[in-house]
Each structure stands twice: as structure tokens, then as C-alpha cells.
Amino acid sequence: MTLHPYAGWALGGIFTLLTMATLAVSLIQRRRQLPQGNELALRVRSWWIMVSFFSLAIVMGSTAATWLLGFVSFLAFKEYLSLIPTRRSDRRV
């Protein structure tokens, strides 16, 4: 399967932005300018993981991207159901 040129440019742009964010966070941590520097680094690391998974799914094809989107939607829906106030009888299944 070949990747559409626009998708390649988009992925390249996203990886460029993440690289710039990683460099900015490393500079912030080195200078200790923000007390939230460690939290910021953890957020950037999680973005690297998410973008890597989605990029891999896009490169593998539409079937892999559909399965990944379905899995992420399932996890989000499960999290949503755990946060909303429901009765026990609402979750019988």
C-alpha cells in the first residue's frame, strides 16, 4: 500500500512539531524555569506514543486504522461510563 503524499506531509509536520516540543521541554527542564517541567515532559512523551501508534496504523492501511480507531473509541466510551453517575441497574450487562 502506498501512502498518499498529503498524508506523508501531515505525518512529517506532526513529527516535526513533536520534535520541536521535545526540544523545548528539554530546554525548560535544563533551565528549571517551570515547576511543571516534569509533567510537561510526561505529556510530550505520551503524545509521542499516541502519534506513533496512529502513524503506524495509517501506514499499515485502512483496516488497521479502522481497528485502532474502534479500540480507542471503546476505551474512551468505557472511561466515560466509569465517570458518569449511573445506578447499578443501568450497568447490569
Side-chain angles (χ1 to χ4, degrees), residues 27-61:
L27 286 175
I28 287 172
Q29 283 183 326
R30 190 173 309 150
R31 293 183 181 181
R32 293 186 175 92
Q33 291 178 346
L34 290 176
Q36 301 91 355
N38 193 26
E39 179 184 346
L40 201 57
L42 291 173
R43 287 180 187 249
V44 170
R45 185 181 312 153
S46 68
W47 274 103
W48 271 109
I49 293 168
M50 285 186 275
V51 167
S52 298
F53 277 123
F54 281 112
S55 298
L56 183 66
I58 289 171
V59 170
M60 288 178 62

Side-chain angles (χ1 to χ4, degrees), residues 7-17:
W9 279 103
L11 289 176
I14 290 169
F15 279 109
T16 302
L17 285 173

Side-chain angles (χ1 to χ4, degrees), residues 42-92:
L42 291 173
R43 287 180 187 249
V44 170
R45 185 181 312 153
S46 68
W47 274 103
W48 271 109
I49 293 168
M50 285 186 275
V51 167
S52 298
F53 277 123
F54 281 112
S55 298
L56 183 66
I58 289 171
V59 170
M60 288 178 62
S62 62
T63 304
T66 303
W67 277 99
L68 180 68
L69 181 64
F71 180 67
V72 170
S73 298
F74 168 73
L75 291 177
F77 186 61
K78 190 173 98 169
E79 182 69 22
Y80 171 72
L81 289 179
S82 72
L83 294 174
I84 63 172
T86 57
R87 300 177 308 232
R88 191 158 203 49
S89 63
D90 294 336
R91 297 180 284 157
R92 190 169 293 174

